[in-house]
Amino acid sequence: MMFAKVVRTAARWQDPDYPPRVRAAIRTMQEGNRFTEEALAFAINHEMRQITERSLAHWVAGRVVEEPRTVGVLNAGNIPLVGLQDFLGVLLSGNHYRGACSSRSPYLLPAFMRDLKDELPALPAEFTEVDSLFASCNAIIASGSETTMEWVRKQSSAAGIANTQLLLRGHGFAVAVVDGNESQEELEGLSEDILLHEGMGCRNVALLWAPQALSPDSMLESMAAVRAVFPAHKRTPRALSTQQALLRGLNIPHTDGEGLGFLLSKGEPEPQGPGHVRWTAYETMQDVRDYLIHQEKYIELVIASPRLSGIPNAALAGSAQRPSLGWQAGTIDFLSSR
C-alpha cells in the first residue's frame, strides 16, 4: 500500500504547476545554492518520473526489517532533491526517518514529505535540526568531504551510535572516456553530464580522457549548445574566473564558454572545481585503465561508449544526472541489515 501512495504523490509532483511543488521551488531558488530554474525542474521531473510501483518493488526487493531503526539522514544541498532516494529507502525498508536539510536546500524534500503524509498520516518521518539528530537516531546516513565524514563519526560516537550503523559516502566524481568517434548526441549527452547542476554533483564528469591528437573543439561546441538549454547560474562565472586566473598564472592551456559559463583545461588527470572539466590525453587505453584502478574509490561512475573495450561497467553519455533509484550501491543492504 505504501508503494501506491508514494507513486500517487510523485505523480502529482510531475505537474510543474502543482502548488506544493511551485511553492517549494520558489523558496528554494531564494536560498544560497547554485540551482537554476531549468536544472531544478529537470531534477524534480527526473526523480518523480522514475517512481513507479515496479521500480520501487525492484529496488527494495522485499527487504523490509521486522524491527525498525530510527535512521538519521544528513541531506546534502548540492543538487535539488538529492536526498530523495535515502528518504524513500529508509521508509520503504520499514525504518523510521529523521532528516536534517542543508541550508542550501531546506524546502523541497520536506514539502514532498508533507504531501506524502497527506496520503499516509502515520508515516514515521520528520525533519529536525542537525544538532538534535544524532541523539535521537540508531543509525546515520551522510555524504560529504572527509572533514564532514570525520565530524559525523565523532558526533555519532558521542551519541553511542556504532560504526556499523553508519553509512558514510565520501566525495566522488565521474570520469568520461572518448575516442573521437562520438556522435553529436553522445557529445551533447556528455556535455550535460559535465555541466548540469553547475558540476556540483558527485556524478558530474570532472575529468575527460581523450586521445593525444584529438581536438576539444567538438566538445566545446556541444557544451555551448547545452548551456543554451541549461544556462549557467549567475554565480558560476565568478567562481570560474578565480580558477581561470590560476590557470593563466600556471600557464596551463584552457578555454572557456561564452560569459565564462564553463571552463575546460588541459593537463594531468586532476579534477578541478565545479563547472571546470579537465581534458587529459592518453596514448593507450591502458593509461586510462591504470588511472581508473588507482582512483577507484573516488570515482562514482565512468561514462564511455560501449565500443571502447576495457572500460568495465561504463555508463552511456547523458546518464550521469539520470540515476536509477538504486544507484547508491548498498543503501538498501544497509537499511535492511542490523
Side-chain angles (χ1 to χ4, degrees):
M1 179 176 289
M2 184 183 288
F3 284 8
K5 303 285 189 181
V6 172
V7 171
R8 190 150 55 224
T9 303
R12 292 194 296 271
W13 274 68
Q14 290 182 40
D15 179 358
D17 297 321
Y18 182 53
R21 168 176 167 165
V22 171
R23 288 193 295 269
I26 289 173
R27 297 182 73 188
T28 296
M29 292 295 295
Q30 296 170 350
E31 296 302 315
N33 51 57
R34 280 168 64 180
F35 301 167
T36 65
E37 291 184 15
E38 295 82 1
L40 179 65
F42 174 95
I44 295 175
N45 292 340
H46 168 71
E47 295 288 2
M48 298 306 157
R49 287 171 182 161
Q50 68 174 333
I51 296 176
T52 65
E53 290 200 48
R54 181 177 180 179
S55 66
L56 294 175
H58 177 74
W59 179 35
V60 179
R63 289 172 289 178
V64 179
V65 298
E66 295 182 2
E67 299 180 15
R69 290 174 290 175
T70 298
V71 181
V73 182
L74 280 77
N75 292 290
N78 54 332
I79 290 178
L81 277 179
V82 69
L84 182 64
Q85 284 90 348
D86 288 333
F87 172 78
L88 294 176
V90 169
L91 295 170
L92 295 177
S93 61
N95 292 291
H96 298 173
Y97 178 93
R98 280 179 67 86
C101 287
S102 165
S103 60
R104 292 178 292 172
S105 185
Y107 302 116
L108 289 169
L109 196 52
F112 183 83
M113 180 199 71
R114 288 192 297 271
D115 213 21
L116 183 57
K117 278 194 169 185
D118 287 342
E119 298 271 356
L120 295 164
L123 189 75
E126 63 178 327
F127 283 87
T128 186
E129 297 299 321
V130 68
D131 292 343
S132 62
L133 187 71
F134 295 89
S136 59
C137 296
N138 311 117
I140 295 290
I141 297 176
S143 305
S145 65
E146 286 304 315
T147 300
T148 299
M149 295 301 96
E150 184 58 31
W151 179 82
V152 170
R153 291 187 188 96
K154 289 180 179 179
Q155 296 295 316
S156 299
S157 177
I161 302 173
N163 285 337
T164 56
Q165 300 301 306
L166 304 180
L167 178 57
L168 305 182
R169 309 181 184 114
H171 174 71
F173 59 94
V175 175
V177 187
V178 299
D179 65 358
N181 296 310
E182 283 69 31
S183 66
Q184 186 60 36
E185 182 180 1
E186 287 176 313
L187 289 174
E188 290 183 3
L190 179 53
S191 298
E192 181 187 280
D193 295 337
I194 295 169
L195 296 175
L196 193 57
H197 305 307
E198 306 308 285
M200 301 289 287
C202 64
R203 291 174 61 91
N204 278 98
V205 170
L207 178 65
L208 194 156
W209 285 90
Q212 187 81 43
L214 184 65
S215 165
D217 288 352
S218 295
M219 187 76 247
L220 293 167
E221 291 174 4
S222 295
M223 291 172 74
V226 167
R227 269 300 184 221
V229 179
F230 293 103
H233 188 275
K234 63 183 180 181
R235 289 167 51 195
T236 292
R238 189 188 327 153
L240 291 180
S241 66
T242 302
Q243 298 181 52
Q244 186 182 54
L246 180 61
L247 294 172
R248 287 172 175 164
L250 296 174
N251 200 29
I252 295 175
H254 64 278
T255 188
D256 58 83
E258 183 178 354
L260 204 54
F262 60 81
L263 189 59
L264 180 147
S265 64
K266 293 184 176 182
E268 294 301 309
E270 299 168 349
Q272 306 298 301
H276 176 180
V277 63
R278 173 55 57 90
W279 177 285
T280 298
Y282 65 82
E283 293 185 4
T284 69
M285 196 56 66
Q286 189 60 46
D287 296 336
V288 179
R289 289 193 288 267
D290 289 345
Y291 174 84
L292 296 178
I293 292 171
H294 187 257
Q295 299 294 322
E296 182 179 12
K297 70 176 183 177
Y298 301 110
I299 297 174
E300 292 288 348
L301 79 161
V302 179
I303 301 291
S305 169
R307 68 177 171 272
L308 293 178
S309 61
I311 307 295
N313 303 314
L316 297 176
S319 65
Q321 302 307 329
R322 293 177 171 85
S324 66
L325 283 171
W327 79 271
Q328 293 277 23
T331 299
I332 295 297
D333 291 340
F334 171 77
L335 291 168
S336 59
S337 65
R338 291 302 301 170

